[in-house]
Amino acid sequence: MLMKIANKTLAKLLPLYKEISLLGNIQALLGWDLNVNLPPQAAAGRAEQSGYVASKITQLWLSPEFRTLVEQSQTEKDLNQEEQAMVRNLKIGSKFFYNVPKELIIKKEQVTSAAFMVWKQAKEENDFKKFAPNLTKIMEIEKEIASHLGYKTNPYDALLDMYEPELTAKECERLFTGVKKELVPLIKKISKSKEQKKPAGFIGTTQYSLSDQEKLLKFAIGLMGFDMTRGTVSVSPHPFTTQLGQHDIRLTTMYNLTDFRESFTSAMHEAGHGLYEQGVSPEYNHTPLAGGVSLGIHEALSRFWENMVGKNPAFLSYMYPHFIAFYPDQFRMVDESSFIHAFHHIRPSLIRIHADEVTYSLHIILRFEMENALVNGKISVKDAPEAWRAKSKELFGIEPEKDSEGVLQDVHWTYGSIGYFPAYALGNLYGAQFLDTMKKTVKFEKELEKGNLLPIKHWFDKNIHTYGSLYMPAELVKKVTGKELDYTYFTKYLTDKYTSFFSLK
Ligand code: MG
């Protein structure tokens, strides 16, 4: 480690912290392998191995020696900026281990692993009643966890805080009300536009080989500056990114052989996460300053690359000849405009994971409102399907006929990840505000036309990546853009883009 640590308590603490960090890398390797390589009969063995490593991590956090040092660090004076940030991050990181009783953590593990199988079946059979008792238990446990973590008025704040430090339900409500007000009418306008072209003839029927799709997405993430000597790209059913070490960032993607769009933009999304981790200052490795600061900032960067770059008409226009080179036969009848339009099919939809960049945030807002109401007892679990339908109608003008396409669609609640979703929408807001600032020094569209993505990567390296977890999310946004988080950057970005793209009035 090169970073200067003058404080004696932190100097003693960091070697122990490194052990936790190393076990975290091993845990990530087990998880990556589970998703990418695991033979069918190895699931139980892998669960046992992961559980063992997790229990070792918990033991280290709870060991008297480490706990004493963490608690002592909280009272230290005269710390430099990095030391202060480490003390703060240790407080955040230890909150769950030191405040939530061990019995409750074990109970949560048991309840959520049982819930997963029930949810899976309930979704297949479209039978919410089957899952309702499990969801009731999960909500009770989450409320109990919130009471141990502590909050002022809303238990949901304590849960949000675990994923996006210092975020509150009130702040979400303020931002999301603004987003809804702008986007609901915009989506209506876009839906009516005659220039909206449903991609036909070349999506869903024509074959695009896996190996060619792989070459194209590797080309794109190469343009982004993702370092393939410090990372890999593999296949998994749900794309994700994980860090196995400072120089080992694993991206995954999935291929649809009759639709090249998803593997392409989702690889750019995951590479956005990967660039963040590859760009963190090397001296923060294995310290509480390592890694991206929050889910929301991570998602800001990944969604920036996926949407603001990957679905930018100037960039797609640059990519078009490359697609022709790989798919000369398939693209014989596909002109540039149809190709670009295929990435801009905007419509109200029921399923979050297939949502376009305009409607996506509304899917998240729906989940935020549901969670906040469920945790606060404003909606009871038995009424959740109906509440979901009503919100869907309000936001999208359509409602699911089946609960499997409504309240049962996502896996997150079965894990007890209540408070996780809002960071996704927040990421969109952060990203648009970053773009506005970036455009003051980077000739964004001009660079995209030339496929020149490195100036964007370098801007992120300098302004965000390198800091790792040094600044809290809100502090980082202020430092980078000079302003507090403001939702209008995002709604203006979408309104401007689509008003011009579809010649809206
Ligand atoms: Mg992501």
Side-chain angles (χ1 to χ4, degrees):
M1 200 177 8
L2 309 155
M3 200 180 359
K4 259 228 153 14
I5 301 296
N7 182 272
K8 288 203 180 84
T9 305
L10 284 173
K12 264 192 253 169
L13 183 152
L14 285 175
L16 299 172
Y17 188 87
K18 185 176 175 180
E19 289 184 41
I20 294 179
S21 169
L22 284 167
L23 284 172
N25 290 159
I26 293 165
Q27 178 84 304
L29 171 58
L30 292 173
W32 174 82
D33 181 71
L34 166 79
N35 281 283
V36 172
N37 291 320
L38 207 72
Q41 297 208 27
R46 179 52 45 89
E48 206 179 351
Q49 294 156 1
S50 287
Y52 178 72
V53 178
S55 74
K56 287 286 158 198
I57 292 175
T58 309
Q59 265 176 34
L60 286 178
W61 275 102
L62 294 175
S63 75
E65 187 191 7
F66 188 67
R67 187 170 181 162
T68 306
L69 288 167
V70 170
E71 281 164 356
Q72 205 176 316
S73 77
Q74 301 302 311
T75 61
E76 296 290 324
K77 303 257 164 5
D78 300 322
L79 301 174
N80 67 32
Q81 188 195 16
E82 283 168 333
E83 290 169 338
Q84 277 176 32
M86 280 193 236
V87 166
R88 179 205 61 210
N89 291 353
L90 284 164
K91 187 176 179 192
I92 295 170
S94 63
K95 213 172 155 186
F96 185 76
F97 295 108
Y98 296 172
N99 291 293
V100 182
K102 215 173 161 188
E103 302 72 44
L104 188 56
I105 298 176
I106 294 168
K107 195 172 156 200
K108 178 173 173 168
E109 288 253 354
Q110 288 163 343
V111 167
T112 53
S113 49
F116 177 76
M117 295 312 291
V118 180
W119 165 78
K120 218 174 148 215
Q121 214 183 353
K123 188 177 174 181
E124 273 162 25
E125 293 166 9
N126 186 37
D127 182 2
F128 178 76
K129 280 204 181 91
K130 191 171 245 170
F131 180 58
N134 301 76
L135 186 57
T136 304
K137 272 190 215 156
I138 288 168
M139 285 297 167
E140 272 159 17
I141 287 178
E142 290 296 293
K143 272 186 260 180
E144 218 182 315
I145 288 174
S147 74
H148 289 289
L149 292 171
Y151 56 86
K152 284 200 188 104
T153 52
N154 185 347
Y156 190 54
D157 287 349
L159 304 176
L160 280 174
D161 189 68
M162 285 199 285
Y163 302 100
E164 196 64 10
E166 297 174 357
L167 180 65
T168 63
K170 208 169 165 198
E171 175 69 351
C172 285
E173 228 168 300
R174 181 184 77 81
L175 297 166
F176 294 170
T177 304
V179 171
K180 273 204 285 195
K181 201 180 79 205
E182 299 293 326
L183 293 193
V184 170
L186 178 65
I187 293 163
K188 279 196 187 126
K189 264 195 206 171
I190 294 175
S191 302
K192 282 188 208 138
S193 161
K194 296 205 170 58
E195 292 187 33
Q196 171 100 262
K197 292 188 216 165
K198 200 171 176 206
F202 64 105
I203 299 285
T205 45
T206 313
Q207 289 285 320
Y208 300 93
S209 81
L210 190 152
S211 65
D212 286 342
Q213 288 196 44
E214 189 185 9
K215 281 177 202 143
L216 274 163
L217 68 85
K218 281 193 172 160
F219 174 72
I221 67 178
L223 293 175
M224 290 168 63
F226 182 77
D227 184 350
M228 288 295 286
T229 68
R230 301 173 60 207
T232 63
V233 184
S234 333
V235 182
S236 74
H238 298 284
F240 68 94
T241 297
T242 189
Q243 181 171 19
L244 311 190
Q246 188 185 9
H247 303 296
D248 193 353
I249 312 296
R250 306 285 173 103
L251 316 181
T252 72
T253 191
M254 47 88 90
Y255 296 95
N256 179 340
L257 295 185
T258 60
D259 188 345
F260 52 79
R261 296 172 300 177
E262 210 160 316
S263 69
F264 186 72
T265 53
S266 84
M268 289 183 77
H269 176 105
E270 298 309 329
H273 287 303
L275 283 182
Y276 192 1
E277 296 299 335
Q278 286 187 337
V280 175
S281 172
E283 48 178 15
Y284 292 170
N285 191 30
H286 294 313
T287 77
L289 301 182
V293 66
S294 71
L295 197 59
I297 299 291
H298 245 295
E299 212 52 30
L301 302 176
S302 60
R303 298 188 65 78
F304 188 102
W305 287 105
E306 174 191 358
N307 295 314
M308 290 167 182
V309 176
K311 294 176 192 163
N312 185 300
F315 177 63
L316 288 168
S317 167
Y318 167 80
M319 283 306 302
Y320 177 64
H322 296 273
F323 274 80
I324 294 182
F326 278 96
Y327 304 122
D329 295 334
Q330 295 93 322
F331 266 54
R332 217 172 321 139
M333 305 296 281
V334 184
D335 61 15
E336 184 177 315
S337 159
S338 309
F339 172 72
I340 294 174
H341 270 265
F343 288 87
H344 293 90
H345 183 46
I346 310 296
R347 71 278 171 219
S349 62
L350 298 173
I351 308 296
R352 175 183 61 87
I353 56 166
H354 301 306
D356 55 72
E357 70 167 329
V358 187
T359 56
Y360 189 86
S361 301
L362 297 184
H363 286 273
I364 298 304
I365 293 171
L366 185 155
R367 285 152 179 78
F368 159 73
E369 292 179 354
M370 288 293 299
E371 290 183 348
N372 194 21
L374 281 162
V375 169
N376 284 289
K378 302 226 164 92
I379 296 174
S380 67
V381 165
K382 93 176 151 34
D383 297 331
E386 188 46 45
W388 187 288
R389 280 191 286 275
K391 287 187 187 299
S392 179
K393 185 99 196 179
E394 177 206 332
L395 294 170
F396 302 109
I398 52 173
E399 53 182 300
E401 280 173 27
K402 297 187 285 184
D403 290 335
S404 55
E405 294 181 336
V407 71
L408 284 173
Q409 76 175 265
D410 300 304
V411 70
H412 301 61
W413 290 351
T414 72
Y415 297 142
S417 304
I418 313 291
Y420 180 100
F421 280 119
Y424 284 147
L426 218 60
N428 283 333
L429 308 190
Y430 292 141
Q433 195 161 329
F434 293 151
L435 176 63
D436 181 79
T437 304
M438 181 189 290
K439 280 184 170 174
K440 289 174 185 154
T441 49
V442 175
K443 292 190 178 68
F444 191 70
E445 309 279 334
K446 284 256 174 316
E447 302 290 9
L448 291 190
E449 272 169 26
K450 291 181 278 182
N452 220 349
L453 305 187
L454 287 181
I456 301 168
K457 181 214 179 243
H458 292 147
W459 190 90
F460 281 131
D461 277 341
K462 180 168 152 248
N463 291 290
I464 296 175
H465 297 162
T466 185
Y467 296 120
S469 299
L470 185 64
Y471 299 103
M472 284 282 95
E475 207 181 342
L476 183 67
V477 170
K478 185 90 192 278
K479 177 177 156 52
V480 174
T481 70
K483 295 197 184 86
E484 313 274 334
L485 181 61
D486 176 347
Y487 72 86
T488 60
Y489 290 102
F490 178 60
T491 53
K492 189 171 182 310
Y493 154 76
L494 288 177
T495 306
D496 289 353
K497 176 175 177 181
Y498 287 95
T499 299
S500 127
F501 194 79
F502 291 125
S503 321
L504 303 176
K505 287 195 191 79

